[in-house]
Amino acid sequence: MKYGFFDDENREYVITTPRTPLPWINYLGCEDFFVLLSNTAGGYAFYRDARLRRLTRYRYNNSPLDSEGFRIYIRDGASVWNPGWQPVQAEPDSYRCRHGLGYSVIEAEKDGIGVRQELIVPKGGNCLLMRVGLTNRCDVQKQLKLFPYIEFCLWDAMEDGSNFQRNLSCGEVEVDGAAIYHKTEYRERRNHYAVFWANRMPDGFDTSRDAFLGVYGGPARPEAVFGSGCTGSIAHGWQPVAAQEFSVCLEPGERSSFIFGLGYIENPTDEKWEAPGVINKSRAKAMMARYSDDAAFDAAMKELGDHWDGLLSGFRLSSGDAKLDRMAGIWNQYQCMVTFNMSRSASYYESGMGRGMGFRDSCQDLLGFVHMIPERARERILDIAATQFEDGSAYHQYQPLTKKGNMDIGSGFNDDPLWLIAGTDAYLRETGDFSILNEMVDFDNDPTKAQPLMEHLRRSFRFTLTHLGPHGLPLIGRADWNDCLNLNCFSETPGESFQTTGPSEGPVAESVFIGGMFVKYGRAYADICRHIARTEGSDAYGREADEALKAVSDMETAVLTAGWDGSWFRRAYDAFGHVVGGSGCEEGKIFIEPQGMCVMAGIGRKTGEAAAALKSVKEHLDTPYGVVLLQPAYTRYHAELGEITSYPPGYKENAGIFCHNNPWITCAEASLGHGGRAFEVYRRITPAYIEDISDIHRTEPYCYSQMIAGKDAAGFGEAKNSWLTGTAAWSFVSISQAILGIRPELDGLTIDPCIPSSLKSYTVTRRFRGADYRITVDNPDGAETGIREAWVEEKKTELSGNAGPCLTGRGLLLAPAAPGSVVEVKVILGV
Ligand code: GLC
Ligand code: GLC
């Protein structure tokens, strides 16, 4: 069942009922000011840090769900309704919510009154703008009341939801004309306030929640709206809000437009006050003046549209498959930008108060946005690398405001260092900007310990080598990619952290997965060294490359012996030296992660283990909704395995469809030339292809979720944790690089498709190092892989035979063209 449709022309998903299975959200903002916005206008706003600078409140586990937001109440005689349906839930005669790129529009009509609520965070402005248009479609005059309403958060979202003995006494506001200022804690140490304003004078206002809603009223039945109007209340402590009241008289056919704003203002410390106790409003007034009319609003919309045109013009696809085109060309890239902005901090599943920026997550997110915003990716890499320790290990998380490593969680996740190579390698391949490697970067955020980025990579690589276990495989530490496989923890006490309890440097427990990573990213490291050796004529880098490849080859041997189980790659060895993820295990016999990573790394490609491992994935882990993480699911808690066995069977890491590593299987299948199967794995978790089962899937049909319940779960097929997931970046890699085969390499752009035989032709426009490549792939004979003929600028071109790490051996390597040029490329697949 569907709850809407894609409008590809406008790059929108149009939701046709407010009763979606879960709130379906959008992200507004692309710089410092952000809004999470659901299809019923639920959500919240923050400035830069969702915990420390929260502007409006949100109660995640509330009932009904999604009760707080950016509300508009319409009162029409005795009837009260919201264009977004929530919170009054009066049935509109028609309803549409259009989620577009960085904006949303809710349109509803009831009893002949049309309301259009448009929301956007303008570029270059620290505010949410909300335009509300009212149209009288009746043939009589209408007297209406309009009430906008938001509830302020007292800045630190954690304190706001817990430290009531203090914060119920702190709230302060000022009202000045059509603006309501929220200035809690501004009298003492804060130099920022929030402002809610309208572009015309209201007929009334409230700033006390009790006055507007009533102590026992609630947002579904505000006393001021249902009763005799706003009271002019000024909040002193308790719950400050911004509510206004407007009387509107509309003749038949008449339209009236209001612009509201919610802004964040910072004042220099010596300019905080206009008079004793009166905040300096000059910056707020400038903001209000800037967005005071329809023309300014329209201009902000246009600017945002242009911004997205620019971002998406780096990769465009036309394949004749609308679902594929809209995912690869629009929504997947959009989600990648959201992960750039949010990392794992704020979604409808991440409270914005918990996890900061993850080291491994941020490195992987890079793979999905580096082609859109290379300069910002560069900055991100340097920030991440600065949280690395001198021995090559890393803080597992860091805080976005301070960019400092997070002490609580610390270090010891032994896959982390290698992800830094992965992220940097992606940046180098995209941009060719080797100068980044010479940038001086702190260790442990300490400038006295700064070293060139290249030295950081070297230490990342060495970290694995100096942390090998009894079988020559990498020690796992607190966990590897799978945060929940905690082989050195042994927690028996509720509430303990599964990751930080127990000895982090267990000397026995090993990860086959990190072994695969070491082979894949160790090769990438060697390629980078080799490239420098060649371009700078440096023998030292040549030797470093040789040594790295020697270590990689030893690791390959270890993985193919101790890491091989007969029909698939094992997952790990636990602290007692027992196999995890082998046929001899009672439960958890086979895991997805090492199959994906080891095959992507090329391990066993020539000797058959790679193909056997993928065959086992298909046999044991495949489901119609995606590939599950492991089988059989763990049915009881194992202290020696950790958090993974704490989840009920079929959920999360315990045999859920953990979408993040499905694209690894896609890439792995493509590396063996299995285009049909690669596409099948891609398609099963890709939102547009499962839009029809939105009633089962439940999360948004335009973005990936972290997890879909697996076949062991009661809710098989039901997704959770949409938006902030490594699935976004890896899915984009899998479709753009592995399947469509457009792959940036250190020396140029490779074309090496691996597609389903049913795909007969497609065109990709790809910006690469400043040049635009228009690449047409024709597949007249229904091949899955292998280029037969190629033309560049209509000239027949020799195939490179082995274009870099070209998978099929029959790809085409294009040297970087002059920036600004347009290169026409045509290839024909087949034998
Ligand atoms: C979550 C984490 C990610 C981890 C994955 C598997 O998505 O953000 O870092 O790799 O879970 O445990
Ligand atoms: C990852 C996992 C999650 C776990 C968390 C922290 O995000 O997905 O299941 O709770 O790490 O341990």
Side-chain angles (χ1 to χ4, degrees):
M1 184 175 164
K2 299 206 294 182
Y3 301 84
F5 58 90
F6 286 92
D7 174 346
D8 295 326
E9 184 101 359
N10 292 305
R11 302 186 299 212
E12 291 174 337
Y13 191 80
V14 187
I15 300 166
T16 49
T17 166
R19 287 188 179 78
T20 43
L22 289 165
W24 283 0
I25 73 163
N26 194 8
Y27 283 85
L28 317 186
C30 46
E31 289 145 346
D32 294 323
F33 191 101
F34 295 101
V35 170
L36 278 64
L37 185 81
S38 75
N39 57 309
T40 64
Y44 64 91
F46 65 92
Y47 174 75
R48 289 182 66 183
D49 186 312
R51 170 172 171 186
L52 299 174
R53 294 279 200 282
R54 185 78 68 99
L55 271 80
T56 62
R57 280 194 177 141
Y58 196 79
R59 298 175 190 83
Y60 276 88
N61 46 10
N62 219 348
S63 173
L65 266 184
D66 204 29
S67 294
E68 296 76 33
F70 306 92
R71 303 305 189 189
I72 297 295
Y73 295 89
I74 307 290
R75 180 163 166 173
D76 179 1
S79 138
V80 174
W81 60 287
N82 314 97
W85 179 68
Q86 285 256 65
V88 173
Q89 299 186 357
E91 221 49 53
D93 299 329
S94 71
Y95 162 94
R96 283 260 188 288
C97 168
R98 304 176 160 270
H99 282 321
L101 307 185
Y103 69 89
S104 293
V105 181
I106 294 172
E107 296 164 304
E109 182 169 324
K110 188 168 172 62
D111 305 323
I113 300 300
V115 182
R116 188 175 155 89
Q117 181 181 3
E118 298 167 89
L119 302 102
I120 169 186
V121 171
K123 283 207 73 199
N126 287 325
C127 59
L128 165 72
L129 299 178
M130 181 162 89
R131 175 161 69 182
V132 177
L134 299 178
T135 309
N136 180 4
R137 301 202 178 104
C138 313
D139 45 20
V140 292
Q141 186 196 65
K142 281 283 198 173
Q143 299 278 355
L144 306 169
K145 295 265 191 194
L146 169 76
F147 301 83
Y149 170 69
I150 58 148
E151 181 177 354
F152 290 112
C153 176
L154 309 190
W155 302 115
D156 182 334
M158 193 79 119
E159 288 279 296
D160 183 68
S162 56
N163 191 6
F164 303 113
Q165 62 77 25
R166 171 180 158 84
N167 65 31
L168 294 181
S169 295
C170 290
E172 291 190 293
V173 299
E174 269 180 47
V175 178
D176 179 39
I180 294 172
Y181 295 85
H182 174 232
K183 59 169 187 178
T184 299
E185 291 188 345
Y186 187 81
R187 62 165 55 247
E188 21 108 0
R189 292 161 300 174
R190 292 187 187 275
N191 65 348
H192 45 264
Y193 58 77
V195 56
F196 180 87
W197 80 85
N199 69 341
R200 62 168 97 166
M201 267 309 281
D203 300 298
F205 68 86
D206 268 308
T207 66
S208 149
R209 193 180 77 186
D210 287 352
F212 184 72
L213 299 182
V215 178
Y216 296 103
R221 222 186 148 70
E223 277 180 9
V225 179
F226 282 81
S228 52
C230 286
T231 67
S233 60
I234 297 293
H236 298 281
W238 299 109
Q239 332 281 358
V241 301
Q244 293 178 325
E245 173 177 344
F246 298 85
S247 300
V248 196
C249 176
L250 292 179
E251 298 301 330
E254 194 183 347
R255 182 175 189 282
S256 184
S257 159
F258 297 73
I259 294 174
F260 301 102
L262 171 66
Y264 170 89
I265 304 289
E266 259 173 26
N267 279 333
T269 316
D270 56 354
E271 291 176 28
K272 279 177 73 167
W273 307 101
E274 172 172 306
V278 182
I279 60 177
N280 179 350
K281 305 181 181 67
S282 57
R283 288 180 174 77
K285 286 181 177 158
M287 181 183 274
M288 296 179 220
R290 183 169 167 199
Y291 302 114
S292 63
D293 56 16
D294 283 327
F297 191 95
D298 291 336
M301 274 289 211
K302 163 90 173 53
E303 193 184 1
L304 191 69
D306 292 346
H307 170 70
W308 279 103
D309 284 345
L311 290 177
L312 297 181
S313 64
F315 183 95
R316 276 173 302 174
L317 170 66
S318 161
S319 70
D321 175 348
K323 293 175 181 163
L324 181 58
D325 290 356
R326 66 171 70 111
M327 283 315 304
I330 304 171
W331 294 96
N332 193 174
Q333 296 186 72
Y334 184 57
Q335 188 176 356
C336 288
M337 284 304 296
V338 171
T339 67
F340 167 74
N341 289 322
M342 297 291 133
S343 186
R344 302 296 172 272
S345 73
S347 73
Y348 267 32
Y349 307 86
E350 303 273 10
S351 67
M353 296 185 267
R355 306 200 282 163
M357 313 271 294
F359 190 96
R360 85 158 77 85
D361 289 338
S362 301
C363 287
Q364 290 171 87
D365 290 347
L366 271 159
L367 310 181
F369 60 70
V370 63
H371 69 290
M372 288 184 273
I373 45 167
E375 305 79 22
R376 296 178 83 183
R378 187 181 207 274
E379 197 182 307
R380 179 65 58 82
I381 290 170
L382 300 177
D383 286 347
I384 300 170
T387 66
Q388 191 176 24
F389 291 106
E390 285 174 292
D391 71 350
S393 65
Y395 280 108
H396 192 51
Q397 291 169 2
Y398 70 100
Q399 298 311 122
L401 266 186
T402 62
K403 299 185 176 176
K404 293 259 159 48
N406 181 344
M407 252 335 192
D408 298 345
I409 181 112
S411 161
F413 295 76
N414 286 355
D415 61 320
D416 276 337
L418 291 170
W419 290 117
L420 182 64
I421 300 181
T424 310
D425 173 56
Y427 173 80
L428 292 173
R429 287 194 282 138
E430 182 66 39
T431 63
D433 168 25
F434 276 73
S435 77
I436 191 177
L437 298 175
N438 302 327
E439 292 284 347
M440 294 297 282
V441 184
D442 299 351
F443 279 105
D444 194 10
N445 299 112
D446 178 350
T448 67
K449 298 180 181 158
Q451 292 284 338
L453 179 64
M454 186 63 191
E455 178 61 18
H456 284 255
L457 299 191
R458 196 183 73 87
R459 293 193 198 177
S460 290
F461 179 77
R462 302 273 151 192
F463 180 84
T464 305
L465 276 184
T466 50
H467 291 77
L468 297 179
H471 300 93
L473 292 166
L475 292 172
I476 196 167
R478 298 186 190 282
D480 60 20
W481 173 88
N482 191 328
D483 272 331
C484 298
L485 190 61
N486 315 118
L487 304 181
N488 295 305
C489 173
F490 308 102
S491 177
E492 298 285 1
T493 306
E496 277 177 356
S497 157
F498 286 103
Q499 282 79 29
T500 56
T501 308
S504 68
E505 293 290 331
V508 176
E510 299 168 289
S511 163
V512 178
F513 172 79
I514 303 180
M517 270 190 91
F518 183 80
V519 172
K520 179 164 168 59
Y521 296 115
R523 280 219 184 91
Y525 174 68
D527 285 345
I528 295 168
C529 292
R530 184 84 65 216
H531 193 274
I532 302 176
R534 210 175 57 221
T535 51
E536 293 180 6
S538 152
D539 292 345
Y541 276 107
R543 281 195 301 277
E544 177 75 2
D546 292 343
E547 275 175 39
L549 288 179
K550 166 77 177 62
V552 161
S553 143
D554 291 348
M555 184 66 74
E556 216 168 347
T557 307
V559 169
L560 282 172
T561 48
W564 181 247
D565 200 66
S567 303
W568 57 79
F569 294 100
R570 292 175 170 167
R571 180 63 179 84
Y573 284 87
D574 71 15
F576 309 98
H578 300 141
V579 171
V580 179
S583 55
C585 303
E586 190 192 326
E587 297 175 334
K589 290 175 193 287
I590 171 169
F591 282 63
I592 190 174
E593 304 100 302
Q595 323 313 327
M597 188 52 75
C598 294
V599 178
M600 280 198 292
I603 302 175
R605 195 181 289 163
K606 293 202 183 92
T607 41
E609 290 88 347
L614 293 184
K615 193 162 161 274
S616 297
V617 166
K618 189 162 186 195
E619 197 174 316
H620 300 287
L621 302 179
D622 228 23
T623 84
Y625 299 139
V627 184
V628 297
L629 194 143
L630 62 86
Q631 279 294 296
Y634 293 103
T635 53
R636 61 182 181 85
Y637 179 59
H638 294 258
E640 79 285 7
L641 300 179
E643 185 170 4
I644 190 167
T645 60
S646 77
Y647 288 111
Y651 289 102
K652 295 280 283 183
E653 283 87 341
N654 187 14
I657 297 158
F658 214 93
C659 299
H660 186 143
N661 41 36
N662 274 241
W664 296 347
I665 300 300
T666 303
C667 294
E669 291 284 4
S671 77
L672 299 189
H674 305 156
R677 171 68 179 158
F679 191 71
E680 177 179 68
V681 176
Y682 168 80
R683 189 174 46 77
R684 284 191 179 157
I685 64 155
T686 292
Y689 290 96
I690 46 181
E691 188 193 5
D692 287 339
I693 57 154
S694 289
D695 47 330
I696 299 172
H697 188 71
R698 297 190 74 202
T699 53
E700 296 90 333
Y702 44 90
C703 71
Y704 290 92
S705 292
Q706 182 210 55
M707 200 263 323
I708 300 170
K711 58 187 176 182
D712 303 284
F716 183 32
E718 177 189 34
K720 291 194 186 103
N721 302 11
S722 53
W723 286 101
L724 305 184
T725 161
T727 315
W730 275 105
S731 291
F732 188 68
V733 168
S734 77
I735 188 65
S736 63
Q737 301 191 20
I739 294 177
L740 301 172
I742 316 295
R743 216 167 27 245
E745 302 289 358
L746 296 179
D747 296 319
L749 192 64
T750 294
I751 305 183
D752 184 20
C754 187
I755 58 176
S757 55
S758 56
L759 182 55
K760 291 288 156 36
S761 167
Y762 61 92
T763 303
V764 170
T765 310
R766 176 68 156 89
R767 180 151 327 122
F768 179 68
R769 302 191 194 173
D772 279 317
Y773 294 80
R774 256 183 61 87
I775 303 156
T776 303
V777 176
D778 280 338
N779 185 23
D781 306 336
E784 293 200 341
T785 191
I787 297 179
R788 182 168 68 203
E789 282 168 38
W791 285 265
V792 178
E793 296 292 330
E794 305 200 336
K795 274 211 282 303
K796 191 148 185 202
T797 305
E798 275 311 301
L799 292 170
S800 54
N802 186 7
C806 167
L807 302 176
T808 60
R810 286 199 295 141
L812 174 69
L813 176 69
L814 301 166
S821 56
V822 179
V823 186
E824 294 283 341
V825 183
K826 185 180 161 95
V827 303
I828 298 182
L829 301 190
V831 278

